[in-house]
Amino acid sequence: MLRNTQSFFSSLPPVVKNLFIINVLVFLLMAFLPAAERAFDRNLALYYFTSPGFKTFQLFTYMFLHGSFMHLFFNMFALLMFGRTIEYTMGSGRFLFFYISCGIFAALVQLGVFSIYINHLESLLPADVVNQAINQGFDLLQRHYNYSDPDLAKLNAFVNTPMVGASGAIYAVLLAFGFLYPNVRIYLYFIAPVKAKYVVIGYFVLELIYGITGTAGSVAHFAHLGGMISGFLLLWYWKRKGVFNNHWFF
């Protein structure tokens, strides 16, 4: 069993292997070192543009933080299962660009959706109240408090609650697998074999429904959609450039 595990990891291409290692190491640091958890959440997680906690580099660093073991597990499982094949197909440099750029685009899409809700809430409140609430609200949420007024509480949550996780980039990798290998069968939940292209379409539709209806509101569904859309656009551009002429598409 040990040799099989070693063989699997030794066969991983470099970008997938290093992404996996970095994500796991960051999670372990946050899990076992409270000071690291606070520092990473405050500085490396992604905050909305008008939050006192926002820094431009968070559009990159948020991808390496995860809020729970299951969040990490499912993202890394998908990275190992699908990213391995996609990196071998694209090449390491192109895959790294694909993964990072789709992750950044996913974050921008989610923040763009947040801006709709934030602008609506700000229109309900005086400007001076909004500015004071946002600036003070950052520290409140850091101490696990929020405002009693429902509109202020929602506004503060949208602006000052951080976003974490590699899911946007991972959904782009899943999209790439379905795009490059549409007829390969995936055992959905280890039971039913489904062609990759139908799995991708199904996930896209589900995320769209969840995002519009607000189901599982703590999940960044529009980031998942953003990752898939940016992944599709990149792959379609590369296809037109003849990068993947040896592969079938939808």
Side-chain angles (χ1 to χ4, degrees), residues 32-244:
F32 293 106
L33 295 176
E37 180 184 15
R38 290 191 296 270
F40 286 4
D41 276 340
R42 191 176 183 95
N43 296 291
L44 303 183
L46 176 61
Y47 291 87
Y48 187 70
F49 301 119
T50 57
S51 169
F54 174 75
K55 302 175 180 66
T56 305
F57 59 75
Q58 292 169 353
L59 290 164
F60 170 75
T61 57
Y62 89 101
M63 287 181 268
F64 300 95
L65 279 64
H66 290 83
S68 69
F69 173 77
M70 295 308 296
H71 190 196
L72 174 76
F73 174 81
F74 284 114
N75 277 344
M76 293 303 99
F77 178 80
L79 176 66
L80 295 178
M81 292 301 103
F82 302 111
R84 182 173 183 267
T85 300
I86 300 306
E87 184 175 346
Y88 280 132
T89 302
M90 289 185 177
S92 295
R94 192 182 298 275
F95 177 75
L96 180 61
F97 175 81
F98 178 83
Y99 183 93
I100 297 299
S101 60
C102 289
I104 292 173
F105 187 84
L108 292 173
V109 168
Q110 186 64 49
L111 294 182
V113 172
F114 281 170
S115 70
I116 298 172
Y117 295 104
I118 290 168
N119 288 337
H120 171 69
L121 290 167
E122 287 181 343
S123 69
L124 303 175
L125 300 162
D128 58 333
V129 172
V130 168
N131 293 331
Q132 184 177 7
I134 288 175
N135 290 323
Q136 293 179 350
F138 177 76
D139 290 322
L140 279 177
L141 288 179
Q142 292 288 314
R143 293 184 280 118
H144 307 290
Y145 292 101
N146 204 349
Y147 298 105
S148 58
D149 180 86
D151 289 332
L152 278 180
K154 288 179 185 177
L155 175 63
N156 192 32
F158 277 121
V159 173
N160 287 318
T161 299
M163 183 168 70
V164 297
S167 299
I170 295 299
Y171 269 77
V173 172
L174 176 62
L175 180 283
F177 190 89
F179 193 90
L180 295 169
Y181 301 98
N183 296 314
V184 171
R185 294 184 181 273
I186 298 172
Y187 278 83
L188 202 60
Y189 301 109
F190 306 101
I191 299 174
V194 182
K195 288 185 177 180
K197 59 186 176 183
Y198 298 130
V199 173
V200 168
I201 292 170
Y203 269 109
F204 184 88
V205 171
L206 282 175
E207 290 299 322
L208 184 59
I209 292 171
Y210 290 155
I212 291 173
T213 61
T215 306
S218 62
V219 178
H221 296 293
F222 287 102
H224 300 170
L225 291 169
M228 297 181 84
I229 291 168
S230 58
F232 178 83
L233 293 175
L234 266 177
L235 289 165
W236 189 255
Y237 173 77
W238 285 335
K239 176 182 182 289
R240 290 175 63 85
K241 290 292 184 179
V243 174
F244 302 119

Side-chain angles (χ1 to χ4, degrees), residues 22-43:
I22 293 169
N23 277 277
V24 171
L25 285 177
V26 169
F27 181 81
L28 291 175
L29 280 173
M30 294 180 69
F32 293 106
L33 295 176
E37 180 184 15
R38 290 191 296 270
F40 286 4
D41 276 340
R42 191 176 183 95
N43 296 291

